[in-house]
mmCIF file of all heavy atoms in Angstrom:
data_model
loop_
_atom_site.group_PDB
_atom_site.id
_atom_site.type_symbol
_atom_site.label_atom_id
_atom_site.label_comp_id
_atom_site.label_asym_id
_atom_site.label_seq_id
_atom_site.Cartn_x
_atom_site.Cartn_y
_atom_site.Cartn_z
ATOM 1 N N LYS R 477 14.735 3.199 4.657
ATOM 2 C CA LYS R 477 15.594 3.682 3.619
ATOM 3 C C LYS R 477 15.220 3.235 2.243
ATOM 4 O O LYS R 477 14.808 2.074 2.129
ATOM 5 C CB LYS R 477 17.013 3.341 3.939
ATOM 6 C CG LYS R 477 17.443 1.965 3.788
ATOM 7 C CD LYS R 477 18.934 1.729 3.780
ATOM 8 C CE LYS R 477 19.659 1.793 5.122
ATOM 9 N NZ LYS R 477 21.036 1.285 5.110
ATOM 10 N N LEU R 478 15.403 4.109 1.289
ATOM 11 C CA LEU R 478 15.252 3.737 -0.046
ATOM 12 C C LEU R 478 16.565 3.234 -0.624
ATOM 13 O O LEU R 478 17.618 3.983 -0.362
ATOM 14 C CB LEU R 478 14.772 5.017 -0.913
ATOM 15 C CG LEU R 478 14.573 4.777 -2.343
ATOM 16 C CD1 LEU R 478 13.389 3.918 -2.704
ATOM 17 C CD2 LEU R 478 14.316 6.235 -3.063
ATOM 18 N N MET R 479 16.634 2.173 -1.237
ATOM 19 C CA MET R 479 17.823 1.619 -1.643
ATOM 20 C C MET R 479 17.759 0.729 -2.934
ATOM 21 O O MET R 479 16.754 0.191 -3.111
ATOM 22 C CB MET R 479 18.573 0.827 -0.550
ATOM 23 C CG MET R 479 17.885 -0.361 -0.110
ATOM 24 S SD MET R 479 18.554 -1.146 1.394
ATOM 25 C CE MET R 479 20.162 -1.718 0.776
ATOM 26 N N GLN R 480 18.887 0.660 -3.607
ATOM 27 C CA GLN R 480 19.073 -0.234 -4.721
ATOM 28 C C GLN R 480 19.815 -1.407 -4.222
ATOM 29 O O GLN R 480 20.986 -1.261 -3.764
ATOM 30 C CB GLN R 480 19.764 0.385 -5.887
ATOM 31 C CG GLN R 480 19.905 -0.483 -7.141
ATOM 32 C CD GLN R 480 18.668 -0.639 -7.827
ATOM 33 O OE1 GLN R 480 17.860 0.319 -8.127
ATOM 34 N NE2 GLN R 480 18.370 -1.889 -8.265
ATOM 35 N N ILE R 481 19.287 -2.657 -4.265
ATOM 36 C CA ILE R 481 19.986 -3.763 -3.817
ATOM 37 C C ILE R 481 20.898 -4.351 -4.816
ATOM 38 O O ILE R 481 20.497 -4.439 -5.950
ATOM 39 C CB ILE R 481 18.910 -4.940 -3.328
ATOM 40 C CG1 ILE R 481 18.042 -4.331 -2.242
ATOM 41 C CG2 ILE R 481 19.586 -6.182 -3.038
ATOM 42 C CD1 ILE R 481 17.041 -5.312 -1.698
ATOM 43 N N SER R 482 22.107 -4.656 -4.416
ATOM 44 C CA SER R 482 23.078 -5.289 -5.351
ATOM 45 C C SER R 482 22.799 -6.751 -5.464
ATOM 46 O O SER R 482 22.111 -7.336 -4.741
ATOM 47 C CB SER R 482 24.397 -5.071 -4.773
ATOM 48 O OG SER R 482 24.648 -5.940 -3.581
ATOM 49 N N PRO R 483 23.275 -7.359 -6.571
ATOM 50 C CA PRO R 483 23.042 -8.831 -6.777
ATOM 51 C C PRO R 483 23.563 -9.554 -5.590
ATOM 52 O O PRO R 483 23.082 -10.638 -5.183
ATOM 53 C CB PRO R 483 23.736 -9.103 -8.129
ATOM 54 C CG PRO R 483 23.735 -7.832 -8.804
ATOM 55 C CD PRO R 483 23.806 -6.694 -7.800
ATOM 56 N N GLU R 484 24.772 -9.146 -5.087
ATOM 57 C CA GLU R 484 25.409 -9.882 -3.916
ATOM 58 C C GLU R 484 24.522 -9.839 -2.716
ATOM 59 O O GLU R 484 24.316 -10.812 -2.052
ATOM 60 C CB GLU R 484 26.747 -9.259 -3.544
ATOM 61 C CG GLU R 484 27.786 -9.372 -4.727
ATOM 62 C CD GLU R 484 27.595 -8.410 -5.895
ATOM 63 O OE1 GLU R 484 26.983 -7.312 -5.625
ATOM 64 O OE2 GLU R 484 27.978 -8.653 -7.002
ATOM 65 N N LEU R 485 23.967 -8.656 -2.433
ATOM 66 C CA LEU R 485 23.069 -8.519 -1.245
ATOM 67 C C LEU R 485 21.749 -9.309 -1.424
ATOM 68 O O LEU R 485 21.282 -9.947 -0.505
ATOM 69 C CB LEU R 485 22.756 -7.019 -0.950
ATOM 70 C CG LEU R 485 21.815 -6.743 0.194
ATOM 71 C CD1 LEU R 485 22.419 -7.306 1.503
ATOM 72 C CD2 LEU R 485 21.597 -5.199 0.317
ATOM 73 N N ALA R 486 21.374 -9.276 -2.615
ATOM 74 C CA ALA R 486 20.052 -10.081 -2.862
ATOM 75 C C ALA R 486 20.303 -11.570 -2.723
ATOM 76 O O ALA R 486 19.536 -12.251 -2.168
ATOM 77 C CB ALA R 486 19.592 -9.823 -4.375
ATOM 78 N N ALA R 487 21.466 -12.064 -3.169
ATOM 79 C CA ALA R 487 21.795 -13.450 -3.049
ATOM 80 C C ALA R 487 21.961 -13.767 -1.504
ATOM 81 O O ALA R 487 21.584 -14.891 -1.115
ATOM 82 C CB ALA R 487 23.114 -13.736 -3.704
ATOM 83 N N ASN R 488 22.552 -12.939 -0.731
ATOM 84 C CA ASN R 488 22.738 -13.127 0.678
ATOM 85 C C ASN R 488 21.408 -13.082 1.394
ATOM 86 O O ASN R 488 21.030 -13.926 2.211
ATOM 87 C CB ASN R 488 23.634 -12.025 1.287
ATOM 88 C CG ASN R 488 24.187 -12.460 2.678
ATOM 89 O OD1 ASN R 488 23.863 -13.393 3.231
ATOM 90 N ND2 ASN R 488 25.030 -11.570 3.110
ATOM 91 N N HIS R 489 20.496 -12.143 1.053
ATOM 92 C CA HIS R 489 19.124 -12.083 1.582
ATOM 93 C C HIS R 489 18.358 -13.361 1.353
ATOM 94 O O HIS R 489 17.592 -13.793 2.199
ATOM 95 C CB HIS R 489 18.409 -10.825 1.062
ATOM 96 C CG HIS R 489 17.049 -10.677 1.515
ATOM 97 N ND1 HIS R 489 16.760 -10.582 2.801
ATOM 98 C CD2 HIS R 489 15.841 -10.684 0.792
ATOM 99 C CE1 HIS R 489 15.488 -10.381 2.921
ATOM 100 N NE2 HIS R 489 14.867 -10.388 1.725
ATOM 101 N N TYR R 490 18.367 -13.890 0.179
ATOM 102 C CA TYR R 490 17.628 -15.048 -0.222
ATOM 103 C C TYR R 490 18.481 -16.351 -0.244
ATOM 104 O O TYR R 490 18.128 -17.268 -1.045
ATOM 105 C CB TYR R 490 16.992 -14.811 -1.603
ATOM 106 C CG TYR R 490 15.835 -13.797 -1.657
ATOM 107 C CD1 TYR R 490 15.881 -12.714 -2.482
ATOM 108 C CD2 TYR R 490 14.756 -14.065 -0.869
ATOM 109 C CE1 TYR R 490 14.858 -11.774 -2.453
ATOM 110 C CE2 TYR R 490 13.637 -13.118 -0.819
ATOM 111 C CZ TYR R 490 13.740 -11.984 -1.680
ATOM 112 O OH TYR R 490 12.770 -11.112 -1.693
ATOM 113 N N ALA R 491 19.467 -16.380 0.519
ATOM 114 C CA ALA R 491 20.395 -17.537 0.538
ATOM 115 C C ALA R 491 19.695 -18.848 0.758
ATOM 116 O O ALA R 491 20.137 -19.889 0.155
ATOM 117 C CB ALA R 491 21.485 -17.355 1.643
ATOM 118 N N GLU R 492 18.628 -18.871 1.543
ATOM 119 C CA GLU R 492 17.892 -20.174 1.737
ATOM 120 C C GLU R 492 17.266 -20.695 0.563
ATOM 121 O O GLU R 492 16.904 -21.895 0.522
ATOM 122 C CB GLU R 492 16.905 -20.016 2.922
ATOM 123 C CG GLU R 492 15.742 -19.282 2.608
ATOM 124 C CD GLU R 492 15.886 -17.683 2.872
ATOM 125 O OE1 GLU R 492 17.022 -17.238 3.130
ATOM 126 O OE2 GLU R 492 14.899 -17.023 2.954
ATOM 127 N N HIS R 493 17.110 -19.889 -0.551
ATOM 128 C CA HIS R 493 16.485 -20.360 -1.759
ATOM 129 C C HIS R 493 17.420 -20.548 -2.821
ATOM 130 O O HIS R 493 17.032 -20.750 -3.983
ATOM 131 C CB HIS R 493 15.455 -19.175 -2.214
ATOM 132 C CG HIS R 493 14.418 -18.929 -1.197
ATOM 133 N ND1 HIS R 493 13.542 -19.959 -0.782
ATOM 134 C CD2 HIS R 493 14.039 -17.817 -0.581
ATOM 135 C CE1 HIS R 493 12.588 -19.396 0.071
ATOM 136 N NE2 HIS R 493 13.045 -18.109 0.274
ATOM 137 N N LYS R 494 18.718 -20.438 -2.544
ATOM 138 C CA LYS R 494 19.820 -20.583 -3.643
ATOM 139 C C LYS R 494 19.686 -21.814 -4.566
ATOM 140 O O LYS R 494 19.859 -21.639 -5.755
ATOM 141 C CB LYS R 494 21.153 -20.578 -2.948
ATOM 142 C CG LYS R 494 22.281 -20.402 -3.974
ATOM 143 C CD LYS R 494 23.571 -20.200 -3.399
ATOM 144 C CE LYS R 494 24.610 -19.998 -4.435
ATOM 145 N NZ LYS R 494 25.758 -19.284 -4.063
ATOM 146 N N GLU R 495 19.271 -22.915 -4.026
ATOM 147 C CA GLU R 495 19.200 -24.062 -4.908
ATOM 148 C C GLU R 495 17.758 -24.360 -5.559
ATOM 149 O O GLU R 495 17.566 -25.270 -6.250
ATOM 150 C CB GLU R 495 19.479 -25.367 -3.987
ATOM 151 C CG GLU R 495 20.925 -25.323 -3.354
ATOM 152 C CD GLU R 495 22.020 -25.163 -4.533
ATOM 153 O OE1 GLU R 495 21.919 -25.806 -5.569
ATOM 154 O OE2 GLU R 495 22.936 -24.366 -4.223
ATOM 155 N N LYS R 496 16.906 -23.380 -5.272
ATOM 156 C CA LYS R 496 15.526 -23.487 -5.809
ATOM 157 C C LYS R 496 15.465 -22.945 -7.222
ATOM 158 O O LYS R 496 16.259 -22.002 -7.644
ATOM 159 C CB LYS R 496 14.548 -22.913 -4.839
ATOM 160 C CG LYS R 496 14.411 -23.574 -3.522
ATOM 161 C CD LYS R 496 13.475 -22.983 -2.678
ATOM 162 C CE LYS R 496 13.481 -23.640 -1.251
ATOM 163 N NZ LYS R 496 12.788 -22.939 -0.246
ATOM 164 N N PRO R 497 14.588 -23.468 -8.088
ATOM 165 C CA PRO R 497 14.594 -23.053 -9.471
ATOM 166 C C PRO R 497 14.223 -21.587 -9.666
ATOM 167 O O PRO R 497 14.528 -20.937 -10.747
ATOM 168 C CB PRO R 497 13.571 -23.976 -10.174
ATOM 169 C CG PRO R 497 12.848 -24.571 -8.977
ATOM 170 C CD PRO R 497 13.682 -24.545 -7.795
ATOM 171 N N PHE R 498 13.522 -20.977 -8.759
ATOM 172 C CA PHE R 498 13.120 -19.572 -8.888
ATOM 173 C C PHE R 498 14.096 -18.612 -8.273
ATOM 174 O O PHE R 498 13.764 -17.365 -8.311
ATOM 175 C CB PHE R 498 11.669 -19.420 -8.258
ATOM 176 C CG PHE R 498 11.595 -19.754 -6.794
ATOM 177 C CD1 PHE R 498 12.037 -18.840 -5.693
ATOM 178 C CD2 PHE R 498 11.188 -21.056 -6.415
ATOM 179 C CE1 PHE R 498 12.051 -19.212 -4.422
ATOM 180 C CE2 PHE R 498 11.166 -21.402 -4.981
ATOM 181 C CZ PHE R 498 11.470 -20.452 -4.026
ATOM 182 N N PHE R 499 15.234 -18.972 -7.757
ATOM 183 C CA PHE R 499 16.226 -18.138 -7.248
ATOM 184 C C PHE R 499 16.693 -16.961 -8.089
ATOM 185 O O PHE R 499 16.679 -15.854 -7.661
ATOM 186 C CB PHE R 499 17.451 -18.951 -6.801
ATOM 187 C CG PHE R 499 18.508 -18.094 -6.051
ATOM 188 C CD1 PHE R 499 18.397 -17.691 -4.781
ATOM 189 C CD2 PHE R 499 19.681 -17.716 -6.763
ATOM 190 C CE1 PHE R 499 19.395 -16.930 -4.154
ATOM 191 C CE2 PHE R 499 20.708 -16.985 -6.203
ATOM 192 C CZ PHE R 499 20.472 -16.586 -4.922
ATOM 193 N N GLY R 500 16.977 -17.252 -9.381
ATOM 194 C CA GLY R 500 17.435 -16.211 -10.387
ATOM 195 C C GLY R 500 16.298 -15.151 -10.589
ATOM 196 O O GLY R 500 16.548 -13.976 -10.588
ATOM 197 N N GLU R 501 15.068 -15.698 -10.702
ATOM 198 C CA GLU R 501 13.936 -14.754 -10.934
ATOM 199 C C GLU R 501 13.698 -13.901 -9.656
ATOM 200 O O GLU R 501 13.446 -12.705 -9.775
ATOM 201 C CB GLU R 501 12.657 -15.578 -11.254
ATOM 202 C CG GLU R 501 11.527 -14.694 -11.623
ATOM 203 C CD GLU R 501 10.355 -15.523 -12.000
ATOM 204 O OE1 GLU R 501 10.309 -16.884 -11.812
ATOM 205 O OE2 GLU R 501 9.389 -15.030 -12.544
ATOM 206 N N LEU R 502 13.863 -14.542 -8.530
ATOM 207 C CA LEU R 502 13.653 -13.774 -7.190
ATOM 208 C C LEU R 502 14.669 -12.685 -6.986
ATOM 209 O O LEU R 502 14.341 -11.563 -6.767
ATOM 210 C CB LEU R 502 13.835 -14.847 -6.085
ATOM 211 C CG LEU R 502 13.416 -14.393 -4.671
ATOM 212 C CD1 LEU R 502 11.958 -14.057 -4.600
ATOM 213 C CD2 LEU R 502 13.671 -15.596 -3.724
ATOM 214 N N THR R 503 15.970 -13.024 -7.283
ATOM 215 C CA THR R 503 16.982 -12.050 -7.077
ATOM 216 C C THR R 503 16.983 -10.977 -8.190
ATOM 217 O O THR R 503 17.249 -9.861 -7.964
ATOM 218 C CB THR R 503 18.352 -12.699 -7.020
ATOM 219 O OG1 THR R 503 18.651 -13.489 -8.132
ATOM 220 C CG2 THR R 503 18.536 -13.476 -5.679
ATOM 221 N N GLY R 504 16.603 -11.387 -9.408
ATOM 222 C CA GLY R 504 16.432 -10.524 -10.579
ATOM 223 C C GLY R 504 15.402 -9.465 -10.329
ATOM 224 O O GLY R 504 15.612 -8.291 -10.617
ATOM 225 N N TYR R 505 14.305 -9.856 -9.788
ATOM 226 C CA TYR R 505 13.241 -8.921 -9.453
ATOM 227 C C TYR R 505 13.610 -7.978 -8.364
ATOM 228 O O TYR R 505 13.443 -6.700 -8.511
ATOM 229 C CB TYR R 505 11.916 -9.694 -9.019
ATOM 230 C CG TYR R 505 10.771 -8.839 -8.494
ATOM 231 C CD1 TYR R 505 10.289 -7.790 -9.425
ATOM 232 C CD2 TYR R 505 10.218 -9.012 -7.400
ATOM 233 C CE1 TYR R 505 9.312 -6.929 -8.974
ATOM 234 C CE2 TYR R 505 9.149 -8.177 -6.897
ATOM 235 C CZ TYR R 505 8.677 -7.213 -7.714
ATOM 236 O OH TYR R 505 7.619 -6.387 -7.321
ATOM 237 N N ILE R 506 14.194 -8.393 -7.236
ATOM 238 C CA ILE R 506 14.457 -7.508 -6.197
ATOM 239 C C ILE R 506 15.602 -6.538 -6.505
ATOM 240 O O ILE R 506 15.740 -5.513 -5.824
ATOM 241 C CB ILE R 506 14.874 -8.317 -4.925
ATOM 242 C CG1 ILE R 506 14.619 -7.702 -3.654
ATOM 243 C CG2 ILE R 506 16.288 -8.899 -4.961
ATOM 244 C CD1 ILE R 506 13.346 -7.536 -3.199
#
Side-chain angles (χ1 to χ4, degrees):
K477 72 165 75 166
L478 179 67
M479 62 186 297
Q480 182 72 49
I481 296 180
S482 69
E484 296 78 23
L485 180 55
N488 198 357
H489 177 61
Y490 288 123
E492 70 272 14
H493 300 299
K494 188 171 185 163
E495 301 303 320
K496 296 179 181 168
F498 57 83
F499 180 76
E501 187 176 10
L502 190 62
T503 57
Y505 173 55
I506 202 78

